[in-house]
Amino acid sequence: SGRLRTNRGETRAPACPVAALPDNADNKSERDRLETELTQYRQTYASLLQSYEQVRVAEAGSYSNVIQVDPATVPIKPIRPRVILNTIIAMVAGFLLTVGAVYLVEEMDDSIRGPDDITRKIKLPVLGLILRHDTQEGNLITIEQPRDPVAESFRSLRTNLQYASVDHTIRSLLVTSPSPSDGKTTVAANLGVVLAQSGQKVVLIDADLRRPRVHRIFNVPNRSGMSNLFVQSSISLDGSLQKTDIENLFILPSGEKPPNPSELLGSGKMSEILSFISEQADVLIIDSPPVMAVTDSSVLAPRADGVLLVVKPGVTKLAEAAQAVEQLFRVNANILGVVLNEVDLSKSRYGYYQYKGYYHSYSAYYGTGKKKKRGKSNHRSKNKDRSIEQEPESISPSAVDSE
């Protein structure tokens, strides 16, 4: 603005000398010079005046319309991180991730989960449900703890087998499983004990010529057994049939391991052996290899009056069980039903509610809820102290499913 006032004064200053000059020929050149300067000053003044107006407009537009209401204060606590909010978000996210992981694991798990998988998908009745218990060799729970709910479940299995085939008496029972780790030998041994305790003469045959275990459970010698009978011209059980400390229970061990088990078990000699033994016993229980591992069970199944399939929930694959059943049906085997072995009742989401109440009621009635720790003593030396009194039997809840 100072330059604008200076220029304005300079613009007006030459006007006085130009007016004061006389109008003659001598002063013409001076007048022209002064008029030229006046014109230049006026142009400069107009340009500065325009620039000044633009500056004023720019200054007017740069003013802020924000009004301060309160003065800014220093916060007394940090605004980040928000601990409570972050904790809640983490808990919700963790819960959702856990639910998703559990759902994914359940969907990927193709093992048998409970009785519903047997009745709905495999279309077979559940004849027994055996709880998880100690399965050390030489410690059969039907002998060590006859009042335990697990021992009672084997008696329920015995009763259900009697009702599984009313028209035809079961004289020979083949016990097998889809996979090697289902516990079929333990089920066969305990079932043989409870059948012998009912007064029937039982012969437990170890037809697993590849991995025999029955002689270890009952602590009997295995020098002579099933394999020796195949080379005899006339069948004789002397030296092969072993008597146990359980009354009415006899063991026919496997004997020496032959090089061709499937051919021996599928031969006509095997039929003669079974017929000869059945004449001397009320019930034959045949412990055979797993169905999916070898063909031994498939060649033995048609020779038995009934087949009992043992599965372990959480271990046995549903596809393996279904394929084993299909293979047994293909050879015209009479499958009586399925036994769920080593069941964990704590997994109530798998449909064990009715069985859990049954076993808890039994434990409360007989006072067997708490088990004392057993030693590794042989049950042979305690047989006299373990004789149990026979009682009337009632059909367990699983018997209803089998009808």
Side-chain angles (χ1 to χ4, degrees):
S1 60
R3 183 180 177 184
L4 185 62
R5 287 193 295 269
T6 303
N7 190 272
R8 184 185 300 173
E10 292 176 352
T11 304
R12 294 174 180 176
C16 297
V18 172
L21 288 176
D23 190 10
N24 50 36
D26 296 334
N27 297 324
K28 183 177 179 180
S29 58
E30 182 66 17
R31 178 186 291 275
D32 293 338
R33 183 184 67 80
L34 291 177
E35 288 180 353
T36 301
E37 289 183 358
L38 180 61
T39 303
Q40 291 177 353
Y41 283 138
R42 286 176 177 173
Q43 292 177 352
T44 303
Y45 175 75
S47 176
L48 290 176
L49 183 61
Q50 183 179 2
S51 299
Y52 176 72
E53 294 296 333
Q54 292 177 353
V55 169
R56 289 183 60 187
V57 172
E59 288 180 351
S62 64
Y63 289 148
S64 175
N65 57 357
V66 178
I67 301 176
Q68 180 179 2
V69 178
D70 293 321
T73 58
V74 179
I76 59 176
K77 59 182 180 180
I79 61 174
R80 294 287 188 278
R82 299 178 181 178
V83 178
I84 297 178
L85 180 60
N86 293 345
T87 303
I88 295 175
I89 294 175
M91 292 175 61
V92 173
F95 175 76
L96 295 178
L97 289 175
T98 302
V99 171
V102 170
Y103 177 78
L104 182 62
V105 170
E106 292 294 331
E107 288 298 319
M108 295 178 62
D109 183 15
D110 61 342
S111 62
I112 294 176
R113 303 178 182 180
D116 291 343
D117 290 341
I118 303 298
T119 56
R120 295 179 181 176
K121 299 179 181 179
I122 303 183
K123 307 299 182 181
L124 287 176
V126 177
L127 298 182
L129 190 145
I130 312 300
L131 295 182
R132 180 174 296 176
H133 63 284
D134 184 14
T135 57
Q136 290 182 349
E137 291 183 354
N139 289 331
L140 295 179
I141 196 166
T142 52
I143 300 175
E144 297 291 334
Q145 297 186 21
R147 295 296 184 186
D148 191 89
V150 179
E152 179 64 20
S153 65
F154 281 105
R155 297 189 186 93
S156 298
L157 174 61
R158 176 186 65 190
T159 304
N160 294 337
L161 284 173
Q162 296 174 355
Y163 285 91
S165 181
V166 179
D167 297 334
H168 302 87
T169 304
I170 302 298
R171 295 289 306 278
S172 58
L173 179 67
L174 181 75
V175 181
T176 185
S177 63
S179 56
S181 58
D182 296 327
K184 60 174 181 58
T185 303
T186 303
V187 173
N190 282 286
L191 182 59
V193 171
V194 296
L195 284 171
Q197 289 173 350
S198 66
Q200 302 182 70
K201 186 177 180 180
V202 181
V203 176
L204 178 57
I205 302 175
D206 192 351
D208 192 347
L209 303 181
R210 304 172 190 270
R211 296 182 59 185
R213 288 185 57 240
V214 174
H215 67 283
R216 297 179 182 177
I217 294 177
F218 290 93
N219 194 21
V220 297
N222 193 33
R223 292 185 298 271
S224 177
M226 171 74 73
S227 58
N228 301 93
L229 301 181
F230 289 101
V231 297
Q232 296 179 357
S233 56
S234 60
I235 300 174
S236 175
L237 298 178
D238 294 340
S240 298
L241 194 63
Q242 306 290 333
K243 190 178 186 303
T244 67
D245 290 336
I246 310 301
E247 188 178 0
N248 298 323
L249 179 61
F250 299 86
I251 304 297
L252 180 61
S254 64
E256 297 295 332
K257 295 182 179 180
N260 53 345
S262 298
E263 288 75 8
L264 293 178
L265 295 176
S267 64
K269 188 71 173 181
M270 185 64 190
S271 300
E272 296 179 11
I273 294 174
L274 293 178
S275 299
F276 182 81
I277 300 175
S278 63
E279 294 176 357
Q280 306 181 37
D282 297 324
V283 180
L284 302 184
I285 298 180
I286 307 171
D287 179 32
S288 64
V291 179
M292 301 306 300
V294 291
T295 61
D296 299 8
S297 296
S298 298
V299 299
L300 271 177
R303 306 175 189 273
D305 295 333
V307 176
L308 186 65
L309 192 66
V310 179
V311 299
K312 182 183 291 187
V315 176
T316 306
K317 302 300 182 183
L318 186 61
E320 290 181 351
Q323 188 173 354
V325 170
E326 182 182 356
Q327 185 170 339
L328 291 173
F329 278 139
R330 194 179 298 121
V331 296
N332 296 322
N334 180 25
I335 304 179
L336 301 178
V338 178
V339 174
L340 273 68
N341 188 34
E342 295 291 322
V343 173
D344 186 3
L345 288 184
S346 62
K347 298 181 179 180
S348 57
R349 66 182 184 276
Y350 292 160
Y352 297 128
Y353 292 105
Q354 56 177 335
Y355 302 100
K356 182 184 292 187
Y358 170 75
Y359 285 110
H360 285 180
S361 300
Y362 183 90
S363 300
Y365 182 78
Y366 284 104
T368 57
K370 295 183 179 180
K371 302 179 182 179
K372 295 182 180 179
K373 186 177 180 180
R374 301 196 306 266
K376 295 185 179 180
S377 59
N378 195 312
H379 63 78
R380 294 168 61 94
S381 63
K382 297 183 180 180
N383 184 54
K384 295 181 180 179
D385 298 333
R386 300 192 206 103
S387 59
I388 64 171
E389 182 181 349
Q390 298 298 324
E391 298 180 353
E393 298 178 9
S394 58
I395 304 176
S396 70
S398 57
V400 179
D401 297 336
S402 65
E403 293 300 319

